[in-house]
Amino acid sequence: MKRRKVVNAAMLTLTGVCALLSLSALFAILGYIAWKGAAAINWGFLTQLPKPVGETGGGIAHSIVGSAKVVGLAALLGIPVGVLAAVYLAEYGNNKLGFLVRYAADVLNGIPSIVMGIFAYALVVVPFKGFSALAGSVALAVILIPMVTRSSEEFIRMVPGSIREAALALGVPQWKVILFVVLPTASRGIMTGAILAVSRIAGETAPLIFTAFGNRFWDEGWTHPIAALPLTIYNYAISPYRDWHEQAWAAAFLLLMFVLAVNVTARTLLRPRGGAAQG
Amino acid sequence: MKMTMIEPIETEKSLRRPEVGAAGSAPVSGGKPVMDVRELRAGYGSGDVLHGISLAVPERSVTAIIGPSGCGKSTFIRCLNRMHEVAPGAECRGQVLLGGRDIFAMDAVELRREVGMVFQKPNPFPTMSIYKNVAAGLTLNGVRDKAVVRGRVEESLRGAALWDEVKDRLDGPATGLSGGQQQRLCIARALAVEPKILLLDEPCSALDPSATARVEELIHALRKRLSIVIVTHNMQQAARVSQRTAFFLMGELVEYDDTRKIFTNPSDKRTEDYVTGRFG
């Protein structure tokens, strides 16, 4: 009897300590980046281009805009494909093809992102003979698609069959049932999944090394090398200049804030409102 | 033949398969059949659930389907608007005539506009307002004229005895209504498409007694406008709302007759046992 209580207390303490440990890692990272990065953030940092090597000051405005462009295009390319694939999997995919696509998406989700970078290099950079924003977007979109597909599929499947039946029984064709009844019911979940996936690709560095490449100036259009926050962080962090190190910390802090804001937004979206069915 | 124990006797067979068109065997006093089911067999791949059902649904009256759980009554009415075949692996054979046309030769989407359905659990569209729920059958099928939709929504909500309760909150969420109101909303939604026949699949099983009473009153009122087929577990409900009652047992139609006769003087011993509560 006593032994059981001792074991219980010991295990409870152990699990509690592990929970604190995992949480403290997160807070340590957040706190350290905030401490190192927040100080270097100012108006000039957000709005100026980098100064030439040796001069102090300057900013990473080009990386912010570049990240927005590359990630934005990746979202435009990837989200529609992912959601439509999810519609197929959830509504028609109980067959061999569905199994295959689902399996492939899961495998794709586990592939290191640098491989996606090499893929986009071969697919876009080589034929176009140059690094480009487009290539970066393609690399990120390839990462985005399986994530969006799998999360959207889950949310579409969560729409109760009774809702589909209700619409079908009104004499509504199946495509309209899916488009106007099922997808709106699942829309908050689909959006949440898509937003979280976008926030993840916004922090990807490896796939951009061979594709977007990086740039110290304003980019031109979609067919030239372009800067992006993760690339800038990477380049500045491995540079020998103290000034750049500080800017890398600041950029990291900026990226962190962005990911945090996106996560909070997504969670808020997903929270059920006023008794409405979870979607 | 798992049915050897209760092989129907000869006199009953003539009852189960009314000769359509023959004046002597008109299925119900007064009404002519709006739907005629002949030798309907249905199942889910692994074997038939319905073993050849024949019955005629009379016009502008309520037909109740009763029977113990698993006897195929839900499968039966789901065949009547071809919702049965939506389930994977489901199949059905036989003939169902709607105004002389075989429904299996019709477009299922068209058919469902003529044969509406209300389900066991209220299933309003969660993302739509009360108004949009009722209008859904019209707007999703391309009716653009707002005045027409508005008129039909009000008419349907009045028809479903829900108008007075919701007229001030038509733009409120449908999920904010009580269970009974939601079920009447589902009935209004089905009515808005102006079906000839309304199928009710245990519409009160998720409702409390007072909400059930309101739905039953509604069924009484609707009978004047359309034909209703209601599946129910509740024999008192069948006796209260219907003119004709069909008793199903293990996928067979045991007896189909005027409700009064089924509950007071059934021809078949099994019907009698069931309605007197000896099994099921």
Side-chain angles (χ1 to χ4, degrees), chain A residues 162-174 176-177 180-181 184-187 274-277, chain B residues 78 81 83 86 109 112-113 115-117 119 123-128 137 140-142 175 189-190 193:
Chain A
S162 64
I163 302 289
R164 289 182 181 81
E165 281 194 331
L168 283 175
L170 289 173
V172 179
Q174 192 174 12
K176 283 188 176 177
V177 174
F180 298 117
V181 177
T185 308
S187 63
Chain B
R78 290 174 68 90
N81 69 344
M83 285 300 289
V86 171
V109 170
R112 290 176 194 141
R113 289 178 204 163
V115 185
M117 189 166 208
F119 299 84
N123 52 3
F125 301 131
T127 51
M128 297 186 193
L140 291 182
N141 282 318
T175 41
R189 183 175 63 187
V193 195

mmCIF file of all heavy atoms in Angstrom, chain A residues 162-174 176-177 180-181 184-187 274-277, chain B residues 78 81 83 86 109 112-113 115-117 119 123-128 137 140-142 175 189-190 193:
data_model
loop_
_atom_site.group_PDB
_atom_site.id
_atom_site.type_symbol
_atom_site.label_atom_id
_atom_site.label_comp_id
_atom_site.label_asym_id
_atom_site.label_seq_id
_atom_site.Cartn_x
_atom_site.Cartn_y
_atom_site.Cartn_z
ATOM 1 N N SER A 162 -24.567 13.651 -41.727
ATOM 2 C CA SER A 162 -25.967 14.062 -41.726
ATOM 3 C C SER A 162 -26.157 15.393 -42.454
ATOM 4 O O SER A 162 -27.209 15.631 -43.050
ATOM 5 C CB SER A 162 -26.470 14.190 -40.289
ATOM 6 O OG SER A 162 -25.779 15.204 -39.610
ATOM 7 N N ILE A 163 -25.134 16.235 -42.437
ATOM 8 C CA ILE A 163 -25.224 17.528 -43.142
ATOM 9 C C ILE A 163 -25.228 17.291 -44.652
ATOM 10 O O ILE A 163 -26.005 17.885 -45.393
ATOM 11 C CB ILE A 163 -24.020 18.417 -42.753
ATOM 12 C CG1 ILE A 163 -23.964 18.638 -41.250
ATOM 13 C CG2 ILE A 163 -24.057 19.727 -43.493
ATOM 14 C CD1 ILE A 163 -25.043 19.522 -40.718
ATOM 15 N N ARG A 164 -24.363 16.379 -45.087
ATOM 16 C CA ARG A 164 -24.334 16.043 -46.510
ATOM 17 C C ARG A 164 -25.668 15.448 -46.946
ATOM 18 O O ARG A 164 -26.216 15.795 -47.982
ATOM 19 C CB ARG A 164 -23.233 15.026 -46.790
ATOM 20 C CG ARG A 164 -21.848 15.553 -46.681
ATOM 21 C CD ARG A 164 -20.850 14.450 -47.024
ATOM 22 N NE ARG A 164 -19.491 14.928 -46.914
ATOM 23 C CZ ARG A 164 -18.833 15.034 -45.772
ATOM 24 N NH1 ARG A 164 -19.406 14.674 -44.646
ATOM 25 N NH2 ARG A 164 -17.597 15.491 -45.752
ATOM 26 N N GLU A 165 -26.176 14.523 -46.114
ATOM 27 C CA GLU A 165 -27.453 13.882 -46.430
ATOM 28 C C GLU A 165 -28.555 14.914 -46.552
ATOM 29 O O GLU A 165 -29.377 14.859 -47.461
ATOM 30 C CB GLU A 165 -27.832 12.892 -45.329
ATOM 31 C CG GLU A 165 -27.109 11.578 -45.405
ATOM 32 C CD GLU A 165 -27.762 10.531 -44.525
ATOM 33 O OE1 GLU A 165 -28.363 10.912 -43.506
ATOM 34 O OE2 GLU A 165 -27.679 9.348 -44.876
ATOM 35 N N ALA A 166 -28.577 15.859 -45.599
ATOM 36 C CA ALA A 166 -29.624 16.875 -45.607
ATOM 37 C C ALA A 166 -29.620 17.621 -46.936
ATOM 38 O O ALA A 166 -30.674 17.856 -47.527
ATOM 39 C CB ALA A 166 -29.419 17.852 -44.453
ATOM 40 N N ALA A 167 -28.428 17.971 -47.402
ATOM 41 C CA ALA A 167 -28.347 18.739 -48.641
ATOM 42 C C ALA A 167 -28.705 17.871 -49.849
ATOM 43 O O ALA A 167 -29.453 18.297 -50.731
ATOM 44 C CB ALA A 167 -26.947 19.319 -48.795
ATOM 45 N N LEU A 168 -28.192 16.638 -49.860
ATOM 46 C CA LEU A 168 -28.517 15.742 -50.980
ATOM 47 C C LEU A 168 -30.019 15.504 -51.058
ATOM 48 O O LEU A 168 -30.599 15.463 -52.139
ATOM 49 C CB LEU A 168 -27.802 14.400 -50.809
ATOM 50 C CG LEU A 168 -26.320 14.369 -51.151
ATOM 51 C CD1 LEU A 168 -25.741 13.000 -50.801
ATOM 52 C CD2 LEU A 168 -26.089 14.673 -52.617
ATOM 53 N N ALA A 169 -30.663 15.351 -49.892
ATOM 54 C CA ALA A 169 -32.086 15.047 -49.862
ATOM 55 C C ALA A 169 -32.929 16.236 -50.328
ATOM 56 O O ALA A 169 -34.122 16.095 -50.563
ATOM 57 C CB ALA A 169 -32.510 14.632 -48.453
ATOM 58 N N LEU A 170 -32.303 17.425 -50.447
ATOM 59 C CA LEU A 170 -33.040 18.568 -50.981
ATOM 60 C C LEU A 170 -32.968 18.609 -52.503
ATOM 61 O O LEU A 170 -33.468 19.524 -53.128
ATOM 62 C CB LEU A 170 -32.466 19.876 -50.427
ATOM 63 C CG LEU A 170 -32.738 20.173 -48.955
ATOM 64 C CD1 LEU A 170 -31.966 21.403 -48.522
ATOM 65 C CD2 LEU A 170 -34.218 20.392 -48.724
ATOM 66 N N GLY A 171 -32.321 17.618 -53.079
ATOM 67 C CA GLY A 171 -32.176 17.620 -54.530
ATOM 68 C C GLY A 171 -31.079 18.562 -54.983
ATOM 69 O O GLY A 171 -31.175 19.187 -56.028
ATOM 70 N N VAL A 172 -30.018 18.661 -54.177
ATOM 71 C CA VAL A 172 -28.876 19.483 -54.554
ATOM 72 C C VAL A 172 -27.812 18.551 -55.126
ATOM 73 O O VAL A 172 -27.490 17.541 -54.507
ATOM 74 C CB VAL A 172 -28.321 20.236 -53.325
ATOM 75 C CG1 VAL A 172 -27.116 21.067 -53.698
ATOM 76 C CG2 VAL A 172 -29.403 21.099 -52.698
ATOM 77 N N PRO A 173 -27.265 18.886 -56.307
ATOM 78 C CA PRO A 173 -26.231 18.027 -56.885
ATOM 79 C C PRO A 173 -24.999 17.956 -55.978
ATOM 80 O O PRO A 173 -24.707 18.914 -55.262
ATOM 81 C CB PRO A 173 -25.872 18.713 -58.202
ATOM 82 C CG PRO A 173 -26.914 19.733 -58.434
ATOM 83 C CD PRO A 173 -27.600 20.025 -57.149
ATOM 84 N N GLN A 174 -24.288 16.826 -56.064
ATOM 85 C CA GLN A 174 -23.207 16.592 -55.113
ATOM 86 C C GLN A 174 -22.129 17.682 -55.131
ATOM 87 O O GLN A 174 -21.628 18.078 -54.088
ATOM 88 C CB GLN A 174 -22.568 15.228 -55.369
ATOM 89 C CG GLN A 174 -21.641 14.841 -54.226
ATOM 90 C CD GLN A 174 -21.095 13.439 -54.364
ATOM 91 O OE1 GLN A 174 -21.224 12.805 -55.407
ATOM 92 N NE2 GLN A 174 -20.476 12.946 -53.328
ATOM 93 N N LYS A 176 -22.452 20.781 -55.710
ATOM 94 C CA LYS A 176 -22.920 21.959 -54.977
ATOM 95 C C LYS A 176 -22.973 21.675 -53.479
ATOM 96 O O LYS A 176 -22.741 22.573 -52.663
ATOM 97 C CB LYS A 176 -24.313 22.368 -55.459
ATOM 98 C CG LYS A 176 -24.296 23.091 -56.786
ATOM 99 C CD LYS A 176 -25.680 23.630 -57.110
ATOM 100 C CE LYS A 176 -25.663 24.429 -58.384
ATOM 101 N NZ LYS A 176 -27.020 24.885 -58.746
ATOM 102 N N VAL A 177 -23.281 20.437 -53.129
ATOM 103 C CA VAL A 177 -23.282 20.067 -51.707
ATOM 104 C C VAL A 177 -21.883 20.278 -51.136
ATOM 105 O O VAL A 177 -21.705 20.881 -50.073
ATOM 106 C CB VAL A 177 -23.723 18.598 -51.508
ATOM 107 C CG1 VAL A 177 -23.566 18.197 -50.048
ATOM 108 C CG2 VAL A 177 -25.161 18.410 -51.964
ATOM 109 N N PHE A 180 -20.952 24.332 -51.472
ATOM 110 C CA PHE A 180 -21.726 25.343 -50.742
ATOM 111 C C PHE A 180 -22.164 24.903 -49.348
ATOM 112 O O PHE A 180 -22.667 25.708 -48.577
ATOM 113 C CB PHE A 180 -22.961 25.758 -51.552
ATOM 114 C CG PHE A 180 -22.623 26.397 -52.863
ATOM 115 C CD1 PHE A 180 -22.998 25.809 -54.060
ATOM 116 C CD2 PHE A 180 -21.903 27.582 -52.895
ATOM 117 C CE1 PHE A 180 -22.674 26.394 -55.268
ATOM 118 C CE2 PHE A 180 -21.568 28.176 -54.099
ATOM 119 C CZ PHE A 180 -21.955 27.585 -55.293
ATOM 120 N N VAL A 181 -22.037 23.620 -49.047
ATOM 121 C CA VAL A 181 -22.453 23.167 -47.719
ATOM 122 C C VAL A 181 -21.270 22.584 -46.940
ATOM 123 O O VAL A 181 -20.978 23.029 -45.835
ATOM 124 C CB VAL A 181 -23.602 22.131 -47.814
ATOM 125 C CG1 VAL A 181 -23.962 21.639 -46.423
ATOM 126 C CG2 VAL A 181 -24.821 22.751 -48.493
ATOM 127 N N PRO A 184 -18.008 25.265 -46.665
ATOM 128 C CA PRO A 184 -18.228 26.335 -45.680
ATOM 129 C C PRO A 184 -18.271 25.818 -44.249
ATOM 130 O O PRO A 184 -17.783 26.486 -43.331
ATOM 131 C CB PRO A 184 -19.584 26.927 -46.081
ATOM 132 C CG PRO A 184 -19.718 26.612 -47.516
ATOM 133 C CD PRO A 184 -19.042 25.287 -47.704
ATOM 134 N N THR A 185 -18.822 24.621 -44.055
ATOM 135 C CA THR A 185 -18.887 24.074 -42.700
ATOM 136 C C THR A 185 -17.478 23.769 -42.181
ATOM 137 O O THR A 185 -17.195 23.935 -40.998
ATOM 138 C CB THR A 185 -19.748 22.798 -42.681
ATOM 139 O OG1 THR A 185 -20.994 23.093 -43.301
ATOM 140 C CG2 THR A 185 -19.997 22.324 -41.260
ATOM 141 N N ALA A 186 -16.603 23.351 -43.090
ATOM 142 C CA ALA A 186 -15.236 22.998 -42.683
ATOM 143 C C ALA A 186 -14.284 24.184 -42.818
ATOM 144 O O ALA A 186 -13.109 24.063 -42.493
ATOM 145 C CB ALA A 186 -14.730 21.831 -43.532
ATOM 146 N N SER A 187 -14.796 25.338 -43.263
ATOM 147 C CA SER A 187 -13.891 26.408 -43.700
ATOM 148 C C SER A 187 -12.974 26.907 -42.584
ATOM 149 O O SER A 187 -11.801 27.180 -42.825
ATOM 150 C CB SER A 187 -14.683 27.576 -44.272
ATOM 151 O OG SER A 187 -15.501 28.123 -43.262
ATOM 152 N N GLY A 274 -20.219 30.526 -29.942
ATOM 153 C CA GLY A 274 -21.635 30.491 -29.557
ATOM 154 C C GLY A 274 -22.407 29.231 -29.922
ATOM 155 O O GLY A 274 -23.447 29.314 -30.564
ATOM 156 N N GLY A 275 -21.920 28.080 -29.507
ATOM 157 C CA GLY A 275 -22.694 26.862 -29.690
ATOM 158 C C GLY A 275 -22.734 26.361 -31.118
ATOM 159 O O GLY A 275 -23.306 25.315 -31.391
ATOM 160 N N ALA A 276 -22.131 27.102 -32.045
ATOM 161 C CA ALA A 276 -22.125 26.625 -33.425
ATOM 162 C C ALA A 276 -21.285 25.361 -33.513
ATOM 163 O O ALA A 276 -20.326 25.202 -32.765
ATOM 164 C CB ALA A 276 -21.542 27.697 -34.343
ATOM 165 N N ALA A 277 -21.663 24.488 -34.408
ATOM 166 C CA ALA A 277 -20.955 23.219 -34.523
ATOM 167 C C ALA A 277 -19.517 23.477 -34.920
ATOM 168 O O ALA A 277 -19.217 24.371 -35.704
ATOM 169 C CB ALA A 277 -21.612 22.329 -35.558
ATOM 170 N N ARG B 78 -35.431 5.087 -47.284
ATOM 171 C CA ARG B 78 -34.281 5.694 -47.943
ATOM 172 C C ARG B 78 -34.180 5.277 -49.409
ATOM 173 O O ARG B 78 -33.521 5.956 -50.199
ATOM 174 C CB ARG B 78 -32.990 5.348 -47.201
ATOM 175 C CG ARG B 78 -32.896 6.043 -45.846
ATOM 176 C CD ARG B 78 -31.689 5.565 -45.086
ATOM 177 N NE ARG B 78 -30.467 6.020 -45.732
ATOM 178 C CZ ARG B 78 -29.886 7.177 -45.441
ATOM 179 N NH1 ARG B 78 -30.390 7.958 -44.526
ATOM 180 N NH2 ARG B 78 -28.794 7.547 -46.064
ATOM 181 N N ASN B 81 -36.330 7.807 -52.001
ATOM 182 C CA ASN B 81 -35.765 8.986 -52.678
ATOM 183 C C ASN B 81 -34.303 8.728 -53.050
ATOM 184 O O ASN B 81 -33.538 9.658 -53.263
ATOM 185 C CB ASN B 81 -35.915 10.250 -51.838
ATOM 186 C CG ASN B 81 -35.049 10.242 -50.589
ATOM 187 O OD1 ASN B 81 -34.563 9.198 -50.181
ATOM 188 N ND2 ASN B 81 -34.860 11.400 -49.991
ATOM 189 N N MET B 83 -31.813 7.838 -51.403
ATOM 190 C CA MET B 83 -30.738 8.205 -50.490
ATOM 191 C C MET B 83 -29.995 6.947 -50.049
ATOM 192 O O MET B 83 -28.867 7.007 -49.570
ATOM 193 C CB MET B 83 -31.280 8.933 -49.253
ATOM 194 C CG MET B 83 -31.691 10.363 -49.499
ATOM 195 S SD MET B 83 -30.337 11.399 -50.073
ATOM 196 C CE MET B 83 -29.349 11.515 -48.586
ATOM 197 N N VAL B 86 -26.582 6.281 -51.559
ATOM 198 C CA VAL B 86 -25.474 7.172 -51.206
ATOM 199 C C VAL B 86 -24.448 6.435 -50.335
ATOM 200 O O VAL B 86 -23.256 6.684 -50.404
ATOM 201 C CB VAL B 86 -26.013 8.422 -50.464
ATOM 202 C CG1 VAL B 86 -24.888 9.247 -49.895
ATOM 203 C CG2 VAL B 86 -26.856 9.259 -51.417
ATOM 204 N N VAL B 109 -31.091 13.414 -58.462
ATOM 205 C CA VAL B 109 -31.183 14.784 -57.964
ATOM 206 C C VAL B 109 -32.588 15.347 -58.193
ATOM 207 O O VAL B 109 -33.181 15.968 -57.310
ATOM 208 C CB VAL B 109 -30.101 15.658 -58.635
ATOM 209 C CG1 VAL B 109 -30.314 17.122 -58.326
ATOM 210 C CG2 VAL B 109 -28.720 15.213 -58.175
ATOM 211 N N ARG B 112 -35.170 13.717 -55.816
ATOM 212 C CA ARG B 112 -35.160 14.167 -54.423
ATOM 213 C C ARG B 112 -35.856 15.503 -54.238
ATOM 214 O O ARG B 112 -36.208 15.867 -53.128
ATOM 215 C CB ARG B 112 -33.717 14.230 -53.906
ATOM 216 C CG ARG B 112 -33.136 12.832 -53.752
ATOM 217 C CD ARG B 112 -31.686 12.865 -53.336
ATOM 218 N NE ARG B 112 -31.103 11.537 -53.520
ATOM 219 C CZ ARG B 112 -29.877 11.325 -53.974
ATOM 220 N NH1 ARG B 112 -29.111 12.337 -54.290
ATOM 221 N NH2 ARG B 112 -29.420 10.103 -54.101
ATOM 222 N N ARG B 113 -36.040 16.241 -55.330
ATOM 223 C CA ARG B 113 -36.823 17.475 -55.208
ATOM 224 C C ARG B 113 -38.310 17.143 -55.123
ATOM 225 O O ARG B 113 -39.099 17.932 -54.632
ATOM 226 C CB ARG B 113 -36.564 18.392 -56.397
ATOM 227 C CG ARG B 113 -35.180 18.978 -56.338
ATOM 228 C CD ARG B 113 -34.869 19.846 -57.529
ATOM 229 N NE ARG B 113 -33.417 19.892 -57.710
ATOM 230 C CZ ARG B 113 -32.822 20.279 -58.826
ATOM 231 N NH1 ARG B 113 -33.527 20.664 -59.862
ATOM 232 N NH2 ARG B 113 -31.520 20.288 -58.896
ATOM 233 N N VAL B 115 -39.366 14.083 -53.836
ATOM 234 C CA VAL B 115 -39.541 13.243 -52.650
ATOM 235 C C VAL B 115 -38.556 13.725 -51.585
ATOM 236 O O VAL B 115 -37.385 13.362 -51.587
ATOM 237 C CB VAL B 115 -39.291 11.759 -52.992
ATOM 238 C CG1 VAL B 115 -39.601 10.893 -51.775
ATOM 239 C CG2 VAL B 115 -40.130 11.328 -54.178
ATOM 240 N N GLY B 116 -39.030 14.572 -50.708
ATOM 241 C CA GLY B 116 -38.176 15.164 -49.688
ATOM 242 C C GLY B 116 -37.980 14.240 -48.510
ATOM 243 O O GLY B 116 -38.666 13.227 -48.375
ATOM 244 N N MET B 117 -37.015 14.596 -47.649
ATOM 245 C CA MET B 117 -36.738 13.717 -46.524
ATOM 246 C C MET B 117 -36.315 14.518 -45.296
ATOM 247 O O MET B 117 -35.598 15.503 -45.391
ATOM 248 C CB MET B 117 -35.620 12.741 -46.899
ATOM 249 C CG MET B 117 -35.408 11.641 -45.883
ATOM 250 S SD MET B 117 -34.404 10.344 -46.586
ATOM 251 C CE MET B 117 -34.977 8.947 -45.667
ATOM 252 N N PHE B 119 -34.699 13.740 -41.387
ATOM 253 C CA PHE B 119 -33.952 12.652 -40.771
ATOM 254 C C PHE B 119 -34.208 12.537 -39.275
ATOM 255 O O PHE B 119 -34.855 13.380 -38.663
ATOM 256 C CB PHE B 119 -32.466 12.830 -41.053
ATOM 257 C CG PHE B 119 -32.139 12.797 -42.519
ATOM 258 C CD1 PHE B 119 -32.252 13.931 -43.304
ATOM 259 C CD2 PHE B 119 -31.771 11.604 -43.118
ATOM 260 C CE1 PHE B 119 -31.976 13.890 -44.655
ATOM 261 C CE2 PHE B 119 -31.485 11.556 -44.476
ATOM 262 C CZ PHE B 119 -31.590 12.700 -45.241
ATOM 263 N N ASN B 123 -30.824 18.153 -38.548
ATOM 264 C CA ASN B 123 -29.525 18.434 -39.164
ATOM 265 C C ASN B 123 -29.537 19.733 -39.964
ATOM 266 O O ASN B 123 -29.292 19.733 -41.151
ATOM 267 C CB ASN B 123 -29.082 17.259 -40.052
ATOM 268 C CG ASN B 123 -30.147 16.857 -41.054
ATOM 269 O OD1 ASN B 123 -31.203 17.480 -41.126
ATOM 270 N ND2 ASN B 123 -29.869 15.850 -41.853
ATOM 271 N N PRO B 124 -29.800 20.856 -39.274
ATOM 272 C CA PRO B 124 -29.710 22.136 -39.984
ATOM 273 C C PRO B 124 -28.271 22.385 -40.409
ATOM 274 O O PRO B 124 -27.353 21.851 -39.799
ATOM 275 C CB PRO B 124 -30.156 23.159 -38.934
ATOM 276 C CG PRO B 124 -29.887 22.514 -37.631
ATOM 277 C CD PRO B 124 -30.092 21.043 -37.846
ATOM 278 N N PHE B 125 -28.092 23.179 -41.481
ATOM 279 C CA PHE B 125 -26.739 23.515 -41.916
ATOM 280 C C PHE B 125 -26.135 24.480 -40.893
ATOM 281 O O PHE B 125 -26.641 25.581 -40.709
ATOM 282 C CB PHE B 125 -26.759 24.148 -43.302
ATOM 283 C CG PHE B 125 -27.365 23.251 -44.346
ATOM 284 C CD1 PHE B 125 -28.342 23.715 -45.202
ATOM 285 C CD2 PHE B 125 -26.960 21.932 -44.454
ATOM 286 C CE1 PHE B 125 -28.905 22.880 -46.158
ATOM 287 C CE2 PHE B 125 -27.511 21.088 -45.403
ATOM 288 C CZ PHE B 125 -28.489 21.570 -46.264
ATOM 289 N N PRO B 126 -25.045 24.084 -40.233
ATOM 290 C CA PRO B 126 -24.542 24.871 -39.098
ATOM 291 C C PRO B 126 -24.011 26.244 -39.487
ATOM 292 O O PRO B 126 -23.980 27.138 -38.661
ATOM 293 C CB PRO B 126 -23.437 23.995 -38.514
ATOM 294 C CG PRO B 126 -23.078 23.032 -39.579
ATOM 295 C CD PRO B 126 -24.282 22.853 -40.428
ATOM 296 N N THR B 127 -23.590 26.399 -40.741
ATOM 297 C CA THR B 127 -23.005 27.694 -41.105
ATOM 298 C C THR B 127 -24.060 28.680 -41.609
ATOM 299 O O THR B 127 -23.743 29.814 -41.912
ATOM 300 C CB THR B 127 -21.959 27.519 -42.222
ATOM 301 O OG1 THR B 127 -22.563 26.775 -43.271
ATOM 302 C CG2 THR B 127 -20.744 26.792 -41.717
ATOM 303 N N MET B 128 -25.315 28.228 -41.703
ATOM 304 C CA MET B 128 -26.322 29.096 -42.313
ATOM 305 C C MET B 128 -27.310 29.603 -41.272
ATOM 306 O O MET B 128 -27.572 28.966 -40.265
ATOM 307 C CB MET B 128 -27.093 28.321 -43.384
ATOM 308 C CG MET B 128 -26.241 27.860 -44.545
ATOM 309 S SD MET B 128 -27.281 27.108 -45.806
ATOM 310 C CE MET B 128 -26.037 26.313 -46.816
ATOM 311 N N GLY B 137 -32.576 24.854 -50.344
ATOM 312 C CA GLY B 137 -33.013 23.995 -51.444
ATOM 313 C C GLY B 137 -33.286 24.792 -52.716
ATOM 314 O O GLY B 137 -33.129 24.282 -53.826
ATOM 315 N N LEU B 140 -29.544 26.941 -53.651
ATOM 316 C CA LEU B 140 -28.504 26.041 -54.150
ATOM 317 C C LEU B 140 -28.888 25.455 -55.501
ATOM 318 O O LEU B 140 -28.048 24.964 -56.240
ATOM 319 C CB LEU B 140 -28.225 24.902 -53.154
ATOM 320 C CG LEU B 140 -27.560 25.318 -51.847
ATOM 321 C CD1 LEU B 140 -27.293 24.106 -50.988
ATOM 322 C CD2 LEU B 140 -26.263 26.063 -52.116
ATOM 323 N N ASN B 141 -30.177 25.512 -55.825
ATOM 324 C CA ASN B 141 -30.584 25.013 -57.129
ATOM 325 C C ASN B 141 -30.819 26.139 -58.124
ATOM 326 O O ASN B 141 -31.474 25.961 -59.143
ATOM 327 C CB ASN B 141 -31.827 24.131 -57.001
ATOM 328 C CG ASN B 141 -31.453 22.748 -56.495
ATOM 329 O OD1 ASN B 141 -30.455 22.180 -56.925
ATOM 330 N ND2 ASN B 141 -32.223 22.233 -55.567
ATOM 331 N N GLY B 142 -30.300 27.310 -57.770
ATOM 332 C CA GLY B 142 -30.234 28.377 -58.760
ATOM 333 C C GLY B 142 -31.436 29.306 -58.828
ATOM 334 O O GLY B 142 -31.569 30.052 -59.783
ATOM 335 N N THR B 175 -28.429 26.851 -35.535
ATOM 336 C CA THR B 175 -28.021 25.984 -34.434
ATOM 337 C C THR B 175 -28.430 26.564 -33.081
ATOM 338 O O THR B 175 -28.320 25.895 -32.060
ATOM 339 C CB THR B 175 -26.499 25.777 -34.456
ATOM 340 O OG1 THR B 175 -25.880 27.015 -34.754
ATOM 341 C CG2 THR B 175 -26.112 24.759 -35.488
ATOM 342 N N ARG B 189 -37.439 23.300 -44.367
ATOM 343 C CA ARG B 189 -36.431 23.279 -45.419
ATOM 344 C C ARG B 189 -36.824 22.294 -46.520
ATOM 345 O O ARG B 189 -36.661 22.565 -47.710
ATOM 346 C CB ARG B 189 -35.083 22.887 -44.801
ATOM 347 C CG ARG B 189 -33.926 22.894 -45.747
ATOM 348 C CD ARG B 189 -32.636 22.626 -45.006
ATOM 349 N NE ARG B 189 -32.627 21.298 -44.407
ATOM 350 C CZ ARG B 189 -31.672 20.855 -43.587
ATOM 351 N NH1 ARG B 189 -30.675 21.648 -43.263
ATOM 352 N NH2 ARG B 189 -31.728 19.649 -43.091
ATOM 353 N N ALA B 190 -37.366 21.144 -46.083
ATOM 354 C CA ALA B 190 -37.804 20.148 -47.064
ATOM 355 C C ALA B 190 -39.036 20.651 -47.820
ATOM 356 O O ALA B 190 -39.156 20.437 -49.031
ATOM 357 C CB ALA B 190 -38.094 18.824 -46.374
ATOM 358 N N VAL B 193 -38.858 23.125 -51.075
ATOM 359 C CA VAL B 193 -38.610 22.612 -52.425
ATOM 360 C C VAL B 193 -39.913 22.124 -53.062
ATOM 361 O O VAL B 193 -39.931 21.744 -54.229
ATOM 362 C CB VAL B 193 -37.549 21.480 -52.372
ATOM 363 C CG1 VAL B 193 -36.993 21.153 -53.737
ATOM 364 C CG2 VAL B 193 -36.405 21.857 -51.443
#
